[in-house]
Amino acid sequence: MSGGALRYLLAFDKRRGVDDGAGAVESEFVEQFQIQAELQPRFTGEAVEQARLQGQSTFTVVVRSCRDTRAVGTDWRARDVRSAADPNAQTVFAITSGPIDVEGKNRYLEFLMQTGKAP
C-alpha cells in the first residue's frame, strides 16, 4: 500500500465520563487524534448482507500503525472529518473489530467499521 491511498481524514474518539456540573457523570466521546485513512467498502459476507438490511454500511479502514492507532478499541468510534463542516453531520463509524496487522510488518493496521450503528 502506498501513502497516496490514504485519502480520508478520520478522527478517532474515545468515550469518557464528563462531570455535568450537577454532581453526575455523563458519558460522551472526546476526540483523541486525527489520521489519514483508506476506506474500502465491503460488499460480501453474511454479516455484511445482514448489516445492509438494517441500513448499515460496512468498511475496512486502513491506517498507518502508530502508538495512537494501536490503542484504538471497539469501544471507540471514528468520524470522517471531511464529510461535513458541522461535526454533528459528519459520517460516524462504529468500530466493530481491530486493529489487525494484516501485513505482519506493523506498518498498516486494518479495522472493520460500520455506519448507521450506534457506537
Side-chain angles (χ1 to χ4, degrees):
M1 164 172 297
S2 69
L6 307 175
R7 292 183 295 265
Y8 294 86
L9 181 62
L10 296 184
F12 282 82
D13 304 332
K14 184 177 182 180
R15 192 178 294 273
R16 273 206 196 138
V18 178
D19 186 359
D20 70 353
V25 176
E26 294 181 349
S27 183
E28 68 179 32
F29 283 100
V30 178
E31 184 176 311
Q32 302 299 303
F33 63 93
Q34 292 184 7
I35 193 166
Q36 296 294 126
E38 177 183 5
L39 273 67
Q40 304 166 347
R42 303 278 304 255
F43 297 109
T44 59
E46 185 177 331
V48 172
E49 292 296 326
Q50 190 173 28
R52 191 174 293 148
L53 292 172
Q54 297 174 358
Q56 301 167 350
S57 298
T58 304
F59 294 87
T60 299
V61 177
V62 181
V63 295
R64 292 185 195 277
S65 178
C66 67
R67 182 176 45 91
D68 290 333
T69 56
R70 288 189 298 270
V72 174
T74 56
D75 56 335
W76 291 43
R77 74 175 186 185
R79 291 177 291 112
D80 182 1
V81 176
R82 295 182 183 159
S83 64
D86 178 13
N88 295 322
Q90 292 174 346
T91 303
V92 177
F93 300 91
I95 301 171
T96 58
S97 73
I100 301 167
D101 179 11
V102 293
E103 290 182 324
K105 297 178 182 178
N106 201 25
R107 293 187 316 170
Y108 295 97
L109 298 175
E110 285 189 4
F111 295 87
L112 194 60
M113 299 186 188
Q114 287 184 330
T115 61
K117 183 175 182 178

